[in-house]
Amino acid sequence: MKRKINVFVLMALIPLMGAVAQQINTTADIIDEIEELRTLSQKIGSYYILSSLYPTEEKYKNKEIEYIDRFNDGLVKLIDADLDDEINIELQKLNLTWLYVNKILKTKYERQAAAKILDKLEDLQKEAESIAEMILKRTKKDLAKIVKVAAETRVMFQRMNLYFMANKANIINTSIADRYADSVNKIKEGVSYLESWDQNDDTMLMMLEMLKNKMKPIVKTTDVKKVNYKPVIFNMIAEGFDDDLKLLIKAYKEKTQ
């Protein structure tokens, strides 16, 4: 029955399955891949809004499509990894939420639909987070935790960007300000945790110091209404942080091997 459900909900993605099954080898790989889905979900929302703010700039719509494709690939990779039944059930739930989100994304942009997208993307990344936590609890390796914290911080940078965009687009959703503030606070907590890790080497400490210096002007306020950047500039900054954190996560994953 499990395989039939996979075929039903992922029919369009089946050709990709065989090519990606071998890429998940460790607990850190699994956690990183799940956190990648969380990050991509927030990026999809940001580019969905950006493409409406700048409708003549095709690159934003193209980026949205690119990240949708990458989300699809990542979800297939996890399902095809054939993890245990409990996790597979949670992945099926995640996929159902994603199908709903994807359906809205394909409709013409409007503020009411955008408000729904924000809430469903929030559900999506929380569902993915719960899966990562399930996996983390099943391992005794402390190194998997540091990968989780670094990846979570990466998610929060993109979540911050998403709610900055939502505010700029005047989307009517009462949670925008709170979610922005929560993202900023979690970024600070995450970086603090990473910095305090007793197994950091000189390279990791240097990367963290550079990250802290770059993020100071970005996280100086938790009030989204006081953040004075143009959407395209703020998005460029968020993408830069994403690149920085991917390098840091790579360094942490290498320690787990």
Side-chain angles (χ1 to χ4, degrees):
M1 179 61 71
K2 179 178 71 176
R3 182 57 59 188
K4 289 181 180 179
I5 293 173
N6 286 351
V7 171
F8 176 72
V9 297
L10 293 169
M11 190 172 296
L13 306 176
I14 286 175
L16 298 170
M17 284 183 159
V20 297
Q22 300 299 318
Q23 297 180 17
I24 296 179
N25 301 310
T26 67
T27 300
D29 287 339
I30 298 168
I31 289 173
D32 188 28
E33 193 63 44
I34 293 169
E35 295 293 327
E36 172 75 2
L37 292 185
R38 295 181 68 203
T39 300
L40 287 170
S41 72
Q42 306 305 284
K43 286 189 173 191
I44 288 165
S46 295
Y47 280 100
Y48 172 73
I49 296 170
L50 269 172
S51 64
S52 71
L53 291 173
Y54 304 95
T56 61
E57 295 284 348
E58 290 187 8
K59 60 183 178 182
Y60 298 125
K61 190 63 180 178
N62 290 339
K63 271 292 184 182
E64 179 192 340
I65 294 169
E66 175 191 335
Y67 288 138
I68 288 172
D69 289 342
R70 284 171 57 180
F71 189 101
N72 286 332
D73 292 349
L75 187 53
V76 168
K77 187 190 299 184
L78 284 164
I79 290 176
D80 205 43
D82 199 23
L83 305 173
D84 66 52
D85 289 344
E86 185 179 7
I87 292 174
N88 277 328
I89 289 170
E90 296 305 312
L91 285 169
Q92 296 297 343
K93 293 177 182 177
L94 177 67
N95 187 56
L96 289 174
T97 304
W98 169 238
L99 289 174
Y100 180 83
V101 169
N102 211 0
K103 182 178 179 180
I104 300 176
L105 289 171
K106 291 177 180 178
T107 63
K108 184 178 179 180
Y109 179 91
E110 57 179 33
R111 289 170 66 194
Q112 185 176 2
K116 288 182 182 179
I117 283 284
L118 292 178
D119 290 336
K120 296 309 292 185
L121 287 174
E122 189 74 8
D123 291 342
L124 193 73
Q125 62 100 5
K126 284 183 177 179
E127 288 172 6
E129 180 186 18
S130 70
I131 298 171
E133 289 292 344
M134 285 172 59
I135 294 168
L136 191 62
K137 288 176 182 177
R138 298 179 185 188
T139 179
K140 295 181 180 179
K141 294 181 179 179
D142 292 337
L143 290 172
K145 173 67 181 294
I146 202 69
V147 171
K148 172 70 169 66
V149 174
E152 169 81 8
T153 305
R154 182 180 169 220
V155 174
M156 288 301 118
F157 268 108
Q158 299 311 312
R159 185 171 179 248
M160 176 183 69
N161 186 44
L162 171 59
Y163 287 103
F164 170 83
M165 295 296 167
N167 180 67
K168 286 294 184 182
N170 295 315
I171 295 173
I172 301 173
N173 186 305
T174 57
S175 298
I176 289 173
D178 288 344
R179 289 173 184 168
Y180 181 90
D182 181 61
S183 300
V184 171
N185 288 330
K186 286 180 177 175
I187 288 168
K188 293 177 180 178
E189 291 168 7
V191 172
S192 179
Y193 183 95
L194 295 173
E195 193 175 31
S196 67
W197 194 48
D198 60 6
Q199 296 187 53
N200 280 320
D201 57 31
D202 289 343
T203 300
M204 292 170 177
L205 290 172
M206 180 184 68
M207 293 169 72
L208 284 165
E209 188 62 27
M210 291 173 60
L211 181 66
K212 281 176 61 181
N213 289 334
K214 285 175 65 176
M215 64 184 253
K216 280 180 182 177
I218 305 300
V219 300
K220 64 182 179 181
T221 178
T222 57
D223 186 349
V224 67
K225 296 185 184 301
K226 293 182 179 179
V227 183
N228 296 316
Y229 286 88
K230 292 182 178 180
V232 291
I233 300 299
F234 201 83
N235 188 69
M236 288 175 59
I237 293 169
E239 289 282 20
F241 283 127
D242 198 53
D243 290 337
D244 294 338
L245 282 160
K246 281 192 285 188
L247 288 174
L248 186 61
I249 291 167
K250 181 180 179 182
Y252 285 131
K253 283 179 68 177
E254 287 174 353
K255 267 191 174 288
T256 70
Q257 296 172 355

